[in-house]
Amino acid sequence: MSDFGKVAVLFGGTSAEREVSLNSGSRVLAALQGQGIDAHAFDPASQPLDALKGYDRAFIALHGRHGEDGTIQGALEVMHIPYTGSGVLASALAMDKFRTKLMWQAAGLAIPEYALLTADSDFADIEEELGLPLFVKPAHEGSSIGITKVKERGALKAAYEAAAKFDPLVIAEKGVLGGEYTVGIIGDEAMPIIKIEPATEWYDYEAKYNRDDTQYLCPCGLPEAKEMEIRKGALEAFRVLGGRGWGRVDFLMDEDGKHYFLEVNTAPGMTDHSLVPMAARVNGMDYPTLVRRVLELATND
């Protein structure tokens, strides 16, 4: 038996990413129980949070709102239950793509050009300013939910309206088309970079979770010096937001080999398609070891 005590694996929840969370959490639960850890499923959608009293530690496998935006983290803080991943502030910041960009801009980190959209925006002017293609996304959703790739002039307004169904805060972002990559972070270490090559036009929800033809390249093909530079930068990007424990930093490359940080995921997926387990495996850490390591890093400081 472990010295973790009674562990709640939080998964499911009420966000638009519930199905992904159920997949992640069930795998995490099985990995913990398989190592003799006293782990139990806990779905906040069907169980009151005060039922967490009596647990000694929490593994957060919730995705999206109320799971990785600081709210569940705050509840666990109040109950003095150590939990995996980032704290209240870092979770809230990372879930907000707009404020993440503001923090990174202030720290001098490169990000894609962007504009905030409202119903009153001059959509034609923004299309002209950012150029096409561009991506329109809700500021507080994950898993590519609500995102549209705008390729034709005049299509931005409809893309805004689609995103606004999920969130009143909507961002238009210049398309950076030299490749999509991600860096897993565990403790103080940035994992080997993964390059993502979807068979679809871009890395959308289908490519992430439902298709088997998305290619994940690790080693990623970047020169070693460039990879180490970006891994160091990803750790900085994570820490600027106050990230701790574990997470994932996504970035894009342009055709000239310049990288731009995109967003942070503070409760990364743990499904069989997920990226942090892939990178950890390349780094010599199998899935059960990764899950145990993340749990070891749990805190409520």
Side-chain angles (χ1 to χ4, degrees):
M1 296 296 290
S2 75
D3 58 358
F4 296 118
K6 187 178 181 183
V7 177
V9 179
L10 277 63
F11 63 105
T14 57
S15 82
E17 298 178 74
R18 175 177 171 82
E19 291 305 314
V20 180
S21 175
L22 289 170
N23 190 343
S24 285
S26 60
R27 286 173 56 84
V28 168
L29 181 66
L32 291 174
Q33 291 176 339
Q35 297 174 80
I37 294 168
D38 184 21
H40 303 262
F42 192 99
D43 186 347
S46 57
Q47 294 167 269
L49 290 183
D50 63 6
L52 285 167
K53 292 172 182 174
Y55 282 93
D56 300 296
R57 197 170 287 227
F59 193 116
I60 298 175
L62 294 163
H63 304 318
R65 297 188 199 211
H66 305 136
E68 55 183 314
D69 61 359
T71 51
I72 195 72
Q73 290 78 8
L76 292 164
E77 295 264 354
V78 169
M79 289 185 275
H80 306 290
I81 300 172
Y83 56 90
T84 56
S86 292
V88 175
L89 177 61
S91 299
L93 281 171
M95 193 68 192
D96 186 324
K97 295 179 178 70
F98 170 53
R99 287 167 179 84
T100 292
K101 291 177 185 301
L102 294 179
M103 293 285 286
W104 284 348
Q105 281 178 304
L109 296 168
I111 62 170
E113 290 181 55
Y114 71 95
L116 284 182
L117 300 180
T118 70
D120 299 323
S121 292
D122 185 331
F123 295 105
D125 189 56
I126 291 170
E127 287 175 349
E128 184 67 34
E129 184 180 332
L130 293 180
L132 297 177
L134 54 81
F135 290 87
V136 175
K137 54 186 72 174
H140 297 92
E141 292 290 350
S143 294
S144 300
I145 289 168
I147 296 181
T148 302
K149 182 178 181 180
V150 176
K151 299 181 289 183
E152 298 173 358
R153 295 205 178 279
L156 181 56
K157 187 173 190 291
Y160 161 75
E161 289 168 351
K165 292 176 183 175
F166 295 93
D167 193 335
L169 190 61
V170 177
I171 296 169
E173 196 170 70
K174 182 183 179 68
V176 178
L177 305 176
E180 184 163 353
Y181 300 77
T182 195
V183 186
I185 292 172
I186 303 168
D188 294 322
E189 184 180 3
M191 296 287 102
I193 294 173
I194 297 174
K195 183 178 185 185
I196 302 157
E197 292 189 343
T200 48
E201 189 169 350
W202 58 282
Y203 193 44
D204 59 9
Y205 188 96
E206 280 294 308
K208 285 179 177 174
Y209 301 113
N210 297 331
R211 297 178 66 106
D212 293 320
D213 54 3
T214 303
Q215 298 292 308
Y216 301 98
L217 306 180
C218 191
C220 67
L222 294 174
E224 184 178 0
K226 183 68 173 175
E227 167 149 1
M228 298 314 293
E229 173 198 344
I230 294 173
R231 284 164 72 172
K232 182 179 177 183
L235 268 176
E236 181 187 355
F238 190 60
R239 288 172 178 155
V240 161
L241 299 184
R244 73 178 187 213
W246 75 308
R248 204 188 72 232
V249 179
D250 299 338
F251 70 94
L252 303 169
M253 299 281 285
D254 67 14
E255 290 87 343
D256 298 323
K258 180 175 171 58
H259 64 278
Y260 299 84
F261 289 112
L262 190 61
E263 60 188 75
V264 169
N265 191 316
T266 54
M270 292 291 280
T271 73
D272 55 358
H273 279 61
S274 293
L275 299 163
V276 172
M278 284 182 208
R281 192 163 57 245
V282 170
N283 221 35
M285 185 183 294
D286 65 15
Y287 189 92
T289 305
L290 168 62
V291 171
R292 186 185 184 95
R293 175 64 180 140
V294 171
L295 187 63
E296 286 172 352
L297 293 166
T299 183
N300 59 357
D301 294 337

